[in-house]
mmCIF file of all heavy atoms in Angstrom:
data_model
loop_
_atom_site.group_PDB
_atom_site.id
_atom_site.type_symbol
_atom_site.label_atom_id
_atom_site.label_comp_id
_atom_site.label_asym_id
_atom_site.label_seq_id
_atom_site.Cartn_x
_atom_site.Cartn_y
_atom_site.Cartn_z
ATOM 1 N N MET A 1 68.025 126.659 17.586
ATOM 2 C CA MET A 1 67.055 126.635 18.685
ATOM 3 C C MET A 1 67.503 127.546 19.827
ATOM 4 O O MET A 1 66.726 128.341 20.356
ATOM 5 C CB MET A 1 66.880 125.201 19.194
ATOM 6 C CG MET A 1 66.177 124.258 18.229
ATOM 7 S SD MET A 1 65.985 122.607 18.955
ATOM 8 C CE MET A 1 65.204 121.724 17.588
ATOM 9 N N LYS A 2 68.768 127.431 20.198
ATOM 10 C CA LYS A 2 69.307 128.246 21.297
ATOM 11 C C LYS A 2 69.230 129.728 20.975
ATOM 12 O O LYS A 2 69.013 130.566 21.868
ATOM 13 C CB LYS A 2 70.753 127.835 21.573
ATOM 14 C CG LYS A 2 71.373 128.526 22.779
ATOM 15 C CD LYS A 2 72.776 128.022 23.026
ATOM 16 C CE LYS A 2 73.383 128.699 24.251
ATOM 17 N NZ LYS A 2 74.762 128.215 24.526
ATOM 18 N N GLU A 3 69.398 130.076 19.702
ATOM 19 C CA GLU A 3 69.352 131.483 19.276
ATOM 20 C C GLU A 3 67.927 132.026 19.191
ATOM 21 O O GLU A 3 67.718 133.191 18.838
ATOM 22 C CB GLU A 3 70.047 131.634 17.924
ATOM 23 C CG GLU A 3 71.556 131.433 17.975
ATOM 24 C CD GLU A 3 72.243 132.475 18.831
ATOM 25 O OE1 GLU A 3 72.011 133.679 18.592
ATOM 26 O OE2 GLU A 3 72.993 132.078 19.749
ATOM 27 N N GLY A 4 66.937 131.198 19.478
ATOM 28 C CA GLY A 4 65.547 131.645 19.466
ATOM 29 C C GLY A 4 64.948 131.774 18.083
ATOM 30 O O GLY A 4 63.950 132.486 17.892
ATOM 31 N N LEU A 5 65.525 131.064 17.116
ATOM 32 C CA LEU A 5 65.055 131.173 15.733
ATOM 33 C C LEU A 5 63.948 130.178 15.404
ATOM 34 O O LEU A 5 63.346 130.268 14.333
ATOM 35 C CB LEU A 5 66.232 130.958 14.776
ATOM 36 C CG LEU A 5 67.399 131.939 14.922
ATOM 37 C CD1 LEU A 5 68.553 131.540 14.010
ATOM 38 C CD2 LEU A 5 66.940 133.360 14.617
ATOM 39 N N ILE A 6 63.691 129.238 16.305
ATOM 40 C CA ILE A 6 62.741 128.166 16.019
ATOM 41 C C ILE A 6 61.552 128.218 16.973
ATOM 42 O O ILE A 6 61.726 128.237 18.196
ATOM 43 C CB ILE A 6 63.427 126.782 16.139
ATOM 44 C CG1 ILE A 6 64.671 126.712 15.251
ATOM 45 C CG2 ILE A 6 62.435 125.665 15.782
ATOM 46 C CD1 ILE A 6 64.412 126.933 13.782
ATOM 47 N N ASN A 7 60.341 128.235 16.413
ATOM 48 C CA ASN A 7 59.108 128.201 17.201
ATOM 49 C C ASN A 7 58.437 126.842 17.196
ATOM 50 O O ASN A 7 57.628 126.539 18.078
ATOM 51 C CB ASN A 7 58.117 129.246 16.677
ATOM 52 C CG ASN A 7 58.675 130.653 16.715
ATOM 53 O OD1 ASN A 7 59.043 131.207 15.682
ATOM 54 N ND2 ASN A 7 58.749 131.235 17.905
ATOM 55 N N ALA A 8 58.772 126.023 16.196
ATOM 56 C CA ALA A 8 58.172 124.683 16.112
ATOM 57 C C ALA A 8 59.012 123.825 15.190
ATOM 58 O O ALA A 8 59.702 124.335 14.298
ATOM 59 C CB ALA A 8 56.737 124.748 15.603
ATOM 60 N N VAL A 9 58.960 122.520 15.418
ATOM 61 C CA VAL A 9 59.606 121.545 14.542
ATOM 62 C C VAL A 9 58.519 120.735 13.858
ATOM 63 O O VAL A 9 57.589 120.250 14.511
ATOM 64 C CB VAL A 9 60.541 120.600 15.337
ATOM 65 C CG1 VAL A 9 61.166 119.572 14.404
ATOM 66 C CG2 VAL A 9 61.613 121.389 16.066
ATOM 67 N N LEU A 10 58.627 120.601 12.532
ATOM 68 C CA LEU A 10 57.680 119.809 11.756
ATOM 69 C C LEU A 10 58.441 118.689 11.053
ATOM 70 O O LEU A 10 59.392 118.958 10.319
ATOM 71 C CB LEU A 10 56.978 120.663 10.699
ATOM 72 C CG LEU A 10 56.178 121.886 11.150
ATOM 73 C CD1 LEU A 10 55.541 122.559 9.936
ATOM 74 C CD2 LEU A 10 55.104 121.505 12.151
ATOM 75 N N VAL A 11 58.036 117.441 11.279
ATOM 76 C CA VAL A 11 58.670 116.308 10.605
ATOM 77 C C VAL A 11 57.602 115.334 10.123
ATOM 78 O O VAL A 11 56.537 115.214 10.716
ATOM 79 C CB VAL A 11 59.666 115.567 11.528
ATOM 80 C CG1 VAL A 11 60.791 116.483 11.979
ATOM 81 C CG2 VAL A 11 58.954 114.956 12.728
ATOM 82 N N GLY A 12 57.908 114.633 9.041
ATOM 83 C CA GLY A 12 57.046 113.565 8.574
ATOM 84 C C GLY A 12 57.421 112.259 9.253
ATOM 85 O O GLY A 12 58.364 112.197 10.042
ATOM 86 N N CYS A 13 56.685 111.212 8.956
ATOM 87 C CA CYS A 13 56.988 109.909 9.553
ATOM 88 C C CYS A 13 56.617 108.799 8.577
ATOM 89 O O CYS A 13 55.814 108.984 7.663
ATOM 90 C CB CYS A 13 56.260 109.708 10.874
ATOM 91 S SG CYS A 13 54.468 109.565 10.734
ATOM 92 N N ASP A 14 57.218 107.644 8.777
ATOM 93 C CA ASP A 14 56.918 106.479 7.962
ATOM 94 C C ASP A 14 56.043 105.472 8.686
ATOM 95 O O ASP A 14 55.394 104.641 8.049
ATOM 96 C CB ASP A 14 58.213 105.794 7.517
ATOM 97 C CG ASP A 14 58.816 106.454 6.298
ATOM 98 O OD1 ASP A 14 59.065 107.669 6.378
ATOM 99 O OD2 ASP A 14 59.021 105.777 5.283
ATOM 100 N N ARG A 15 56.043 105.526 10.018
ATOM 101 C CA ARG A 15 55.250 104.565 10.774
ATOM 102 C C ARG A 15 55.007 105.097 12.170
ATOM 103 O O ARG A 15 55.866 105.743 12.760
ATOM 104 C CB ARG A 15 55.976 103.225 10.849
ATOM 105 C CG ARG A 15 55.112 102.035 11.247
ATOM 106 C CD ARG A 15 55.912 100.762 11.055
ATOM 107 N NE ARG A 15 55.133 99.570 11.295
ATOM 108 C CZ ARG A 15 55.623 98.338 11.251
ATOM 109 N NH1 ARG A 15 56.901 98.151 10.957
ATOM 110 N NH2 ARG A 15 54.860 97.287 11.483
ATOM 111 N N VAL A 16 53.815 104.828 12.690
ATOM 112 C CA VAL A 16 53.452 105.232 14.038
ATOM 113 C C VAL A 16 53.010 103.993 14.799
ATOM 114 O O VAL A 16 52.105 103.275 14.360
ATOM 115 C CB VAL A 16 52.314 106.278 14.043
ATOM 116 C CG1 VAL A 16 51.966 106.672 15.472
ATOM 117 C CG2 VAL A 16 52.704 107.499 13.224
ATOM 118 N N ALA A 17 53.654 103.717 15.925
ATOM 119 C CA ALA A 17 53.257 102.589 16.761
ATOM 120 C C ALA A 17 52.010 102.951 17.556
ATOM 121 O O ALA A 17 51.650 104.127 17.682
ATOM 122 C CB ALA A 17 54.400 102.202 17.690
ATOM 123 N N ALA A 18 51.362 101.939 18.133
ATOM 124 C CA ALA A 18 50.113 102.159 18.859
ATOM 125 C C ALA A 18 50.291 103.098 20.044
ATOM 126 O O ALA A 18 49.353 103.797 20.441
ATOM 127 C CB ALA A 18 49.545 100.821 19.324
ATOM 128 N N ASN A 19 51.497 103.135 20.621
ATOM 129 C CA ASN A 19 51.738 103.988 21.783
ATOM 130 C C ASN A 19 52.235 105.383 21.410
ATOM 131 O O ASN A 19 52.538 106.193 22.277
ATOM 132 C CB ASN A 19 52.749 103.325 22.727
ATOM 133 C CG ASN A 19 54.164 103.333 22.169
ATOM 134 O OD1 ASN A 19 54.360 103.418 20.950
ATOM 135 N ND2 ASN A 19 55.152 103.236 23.041
ATOM 136 N N GLY A 20 52.342 105.659 20.096
ATOM 137 C CA GLY A 20 52.752 106.983 19.648
ATOM 138 C C GLY A 20 54.224 107.123 19.329
ATOM 139 O O GLY A 20 54.646 108.191 18.888
ATOM 140 N N ASP A 21 55.021 106.071 19.542
ATOM 141 C CA ASP A 21 56.400 106.107 19.053
ATOM 142 C C ASP A 21 56.355 106.186 17.528
ATOM 143 O O ASP A 21 55.493 105.560 16.898
ATOM 144 C CB ASP A 21 57.160 104.837 19.454
ATOM 145 C CG ASP A 21 57.415 104.733 20.943
ATOM 146 O OD1 ASP A 21 57.260 105.744 21.645
ATOM 147 O OD2 ASP A 21 57.761 103.625 21.412
ATOM 148 N N THR A 22 57.276 106.926 16.922
ATOM 149 C CA THR A 22 57.235 107.094 15.469
ATOM 150 C C THR A 22 58.571 106.747 14.827
ATOM 151 O O THR A 22 59.634 106.977 15.404
ATOM 152 C CB THR A 22 56.870 108.546 15.083
ATOM 153 O OG1 THR A 22 57.876 109.443 15.575
ATOM 154 C CG2 THR A 22 55.518 108.943 15.657
ATOM 155 N N ALA A 23 58.498 106.182 13.630
ATOM 156 C CA ALA A 23 59.694 105.930 12.824
ATOM 157 C C ALA A 23 59.881 107.109 11.887
ATOM 158 O O ALA A 23 59.021 107.398 11.056
ATOM 159 C CB ALA A 23 59.546 104.638 12.031
ATOM 160 N N ASN A 24 61.004 107.795 12.050
ATOM 161 C CA ASN A 24 61.308 108.970 11.246
ATOM 162 C C ASN A 24 62.682 108.809 10.610
ATOM 163 O O ASN A 24 63.444 107.930 10.989
ATOM 164 C CB ASN A 24 61.315 110.234 12.110
ATOM 165 C CG ASN A 24 60.123 110.341 13.017
ATOM 166 O OD1 ASN A 24 60.170 109.862 14.139
ATOM 167 N ND2 ASN A 24 59.054 110.959 12.552
ATOM 168 N N LYS A 25 62.981 109.667 9.667
ATOM 169 C CA LYS A 25 64.303 109.654 9.052
ATOM 170 C C LYS A 25 65.376 109.725 10.132
ATOM 171 O O LYS A 25 65.214 110.427 11.125
ATOM 172 C CB LYS A 25 64.441 110.830 8.082
ATOM 173 C CG LYS A 25 65.793 110.901 7.398
ATOM 174 C CD LYS A 25 66.058 109.692 6.533
ATOM 175 C CE LYS A 25 67.449 109.737 5.923
ATOM 176 N NZ LYS A 25 67.762 108.520 5.178
ATOM 177 N N ILE A 26 66.468 109.004 9.923
ATOM 178 C CA ILE A 26 67.542 108.959 10.909
ATOM 179 C C ILE A 26 67.970 110.376 11.309
ATOM 180 O O ILE A 26 68.122 111.259 10.466
ATOM 181 C CB ILE A 26 68.752 108.158 10.365
ATOM 182 C CG1 ILE A 26 69.781 107.886 11.475
ATOM 183 C CG2 ILE A 26 69.381 108.845 9.180
ATOM 184 C CD1 ILE A 26 69.312 106.913 12.488
ATOM 185 N N GLY A 27 68.133 110.584 12.601
ATOM 186 C CA GLY A 27 68.496 111.894 13.125
ATOM 187 C C GLY A 27 67.335 112.653 13.729
ATOM 188 O O GLY A 27 67.538 113.595 14.502
ATOM 189 N N THR A 28 66.110 112.229 13.418
ATOM 190 C CA THR A 28 64.937 112.963 13.904
ATOM 191 C C THR A 28 64.809 112.891 15.415
ATOM 192 O O THR A 28 64.431 113.868 16.063
ATOM 193 C CB THR A 28 63.654 112.426 13.243
ATOM 194 O OG1 THR A 28 63.787 112.481 11.828
ATOM 195 C CG2 THR A 28 62.441 113.230 13.666
#
C-alpha cells in the first residue's frame, strides 16, 4: 500500500450485521 501498488481492497465476508459490521477471515 505504501509503495502505491494498491488501488482497492476486495474481500469476501461470511456475515454482515445490520449496522454494516462484517465478519471476515481473521486478519481482514
